[in-house]
Amino acid sequence: MSPHFSLTTPLYYVNALPHIGSAYTTIAADVLARFYRLQGYQVRFITGTDEHGQKIERTAQQRGLSPQAHCDEIAAGFQALWQQLHIHYDRFSRTTSPRHHAIVNEFFQRVWDNGDIYLGQQQGWYCVECEEFKEERELLEGRRCPIHVNRTVEWRDERNYFFRLSKYQPALLDYYAEHPDFVQPPSRRNEVLSFIEQGLQDFSISRVNLAWGFPVPTDPDQTLYVWFDALLGYVTALLEPEDEPTLANALKTWWPINLHIIGKDILRFHAISWPAMLMSAGLPLPEQIFVHGFLTKDGQKMGKSLGNTLDPFALVAQYGADAVRYYFMKEVEFGRDGDFSETRFVNILNADLANDLGNLLNRTLKMAWKYTDGKVPNVQGSAIPREHSLRQLAEHLCQTYGQGYRQLAFHEVCQQALTLARAGNKFLDEEAPWKRYKAGETQAVAEILYCVLESVRLVAYVLAPIIPQLSEAIYGQLGYSIKFNGSVAPDLLGDRQAQWGVLPASQPLANPEPIFQKLSLPATVADSP
C-alpha cells in the first residue's frame, strides 16, 4: 500500500481576492504535493477559504451583497488563480459548507463535554482585520494593530464563551519539548515557546450581535468565533464526498495532517490555539507546522496605501505560471522574508531558464540532429565512467534533491539543479563536439551529447514539481510523452527516474525549439531609474 502524505495551506480569508502572499504559500504547498506524488505517495493536498466573521459581514455590506454571495465570488477568485498557477489541490474547503457545520458542532460538543468551554466577560482591544483580541503590550502607537498597521483596534466589552487555553499551557510546553520539530523553522518555534512561557490566557470562541457564522450549539444567541470554526476546515476537508459528516469519518484515513504551511501572521492560532483545542477534543496533533515569511516589493512592505501591491493574476498573465513558480521558489528562502523586484524577476528567469537550461537543451538537440540522426546517441548511460564530471554531479543531485524538498528548502533544490545545467554548458564548450566530429571522433561525440541530454533530463525531473510545464516540454523534446499534471505521478516516472542513465539509447528526439522564451520588462519598469 502506498504511503500517505497530507498537507494544507491556510484557509484564506475572503475579505478580498487572493494576493501574492496567498499565491506564494499555495505554490509552495503544490510543489511539495507534486514532489510526494512523484515519490509514489498518495497525497491529500488541502486548501480553501475561511468565510465567516465580522469582517466578511462588513465587507459584503459595503459591496451591497449578501455575505454568501460575496463569499461565493471571492472563493471562485481563489480557485481561478490556483488554476492559472497550475495548483493541483485535492480538496477545496469552504467553511460555509453544511458538512463543515456538522463537524464544528461535533467538535464543540467534545470540548464542551471536557469542561473546557465556559461563559465569561471579555474586555479588550479587538482587531476586526485579524478577528482577534490584542493584548495592550502588542499594540503600536495610536492603538494600531501590529499586523494591520493602518488599522486601529476597537474596544469590546462582551459576554462570550471562552476556551480554557490556560489549562493547556503545561501540556503545550511538554509537547514542544518532546517534539522539537513541531514548529519550523527554529526561530518560529522559539517565538511560540517564549509566548507560551509568558503565560496563556483563555480566549473567546464566540461573539454576540453577529449573524454571519454558525450559532453556538448550546446558545444560539451567540455566534462561534471565526478561528474556532475556521481551523476545523482542515478536518472537514478530509471527508470523502459520500461519507456522512462525522469526526470519525473525517479522521479515519488522513489524520493527523502531516504538514500545515502557514504565514507568520497566523502562527499563534496554529501553534498554540489549534493544538490546545485538539488536546481538549482528545485528537492527535498535526505532525508539523512550517512557517514562511512575508514578501516585500522592491524592498518595501506591500500595501494599497503605498500603491505598490503585486497582482498575482496580472503577473501570471504576463509571464506565465512556471516563471512565477520558479522565481518565488528559487529566490526566496522558504521560512524567511523575501522580496520581489520585477527587474530581478526577469533577469533571473532569462539567466536560469532561457540561457542555462533552455539554451543547453536547444544547442545539444541541434547537434544530435546533425551528428546522431535526430536520436539519443547510441550510448548506454551505465557505461559512462562514474568519475565523469557530469555523471558525478548528476548522481549527487539525485542523492540530495529529495532531502531539499522534504525540508522545504526549495531554493537549494533549484540551485543544485542549475549547477548541473551550468556544468553541462561548460562541458559542451570545453569538449567542443563540433570540432571532434570533424576530426572523426564520432564515439566521443555520442558520449558527450548523451551525457548532456541525460543531465538536462535529470534537471527537468528534479524541477518538475516547481516548473511542471517546462519539465514536460523538456521531456517532450527528449522523445517522451509525459504529462506532469500534478494529480498523480505519470506511469513512466516515479523516483526511479532520479538516477543516471535512464534516457534510452537511439530514442527519437523532437525537433529543437526554445522551451522558454526570453522575457522583457514592461517599458514603465525598464525605463524607471
Side-chain angles (χ1 to χ4, degrees), residues 359-507:
N359 183 53
L360 177 63
L361 174 62
N362 194 263
R363 66 195 291 218
T364 310
L365 282 175
K366 287 179 179 178
M367 284 186 277
W369 274 89
K370 189 172 183 180
Y371 305 143
T372 60
D373 196 28
K375 297 178 181 177
V376 175
N378 189 18
V379 173
Q380 297 299 319
S382 57
I384 302 298
R386 288 193 173 273
E387 60 272 17
H388 190 285
S389 61
L390 287 187
R391 180 169 180 176
Q392 281 186 327
L393 272 177
E395 291 186 336
H396 177 71
L397 175 64
C398 293
Q399 292 164 6
T400 59
Y401 87 100
Q403 182 180 6
Y405 276 121
R406 291 184 184 95
Q407 294 179 347
L408 283 74
F410 307 120
H411 68 295
E412 291 184 2
V413 175
C414 293
Q415 292 284 13
Q416 292 171 350
L418 264 291
T419 295
L420 180 57
R422 289 168 184 148
N425 276 304
K426 182 180 178 183
F427 179 73
L428 272 185
D429 293 339
E430 291 175 347
E431 294 296 326
W434 51 92
K435 292 182 180 177
R436 301 185 73 166
Y437 184 81
K438 290 180 180 177
E441 301 176 31
T442 55
Q443 184 57 31
V445 168
E447 290 183 4
I448 292 167
L449 297 183
Y450 183 91
C451 288
V452 175
L453 290 172
E454 175 65 351
S455 296
V456 172
R457 184 199 64 79
L458 274 166
V459 171
Y461 177 79
V462 166
L463 293 181
I466 297 173
I467 49 171
Q469 287 188 305
L470 288 175
S471 292
E472 185 178 305
I474 291 171
Y475 264 78
Q477 292 202 21
L478 294 175
Y480 293 96
S481 179
I482 294 292
K483 295 294 181 184
F484 286 103
N485 63 14
S487 57
V488 293
D491 292 340
L492 183 60
L493 298 176
D495 195 43
R496 64 186 182 277
Q497 289 288 303
Q499 55 185 289
W500 177 265
V502 170
L503 198 58
S506 302
Q507 175 167 284

Side-chain angles (χ1 to χ4, degrees), residues 3 34-41 401-402 406 461 489 494-495 498:
R34 286 172 178 270
F35 165 75
Y36 275 101
R37 290 188 190 107
L38 286 177
Q39 302 296 300
Y41 283 69
Y401 87 100
R406 291 184 184 95
Y461 177 79
D495 195 43

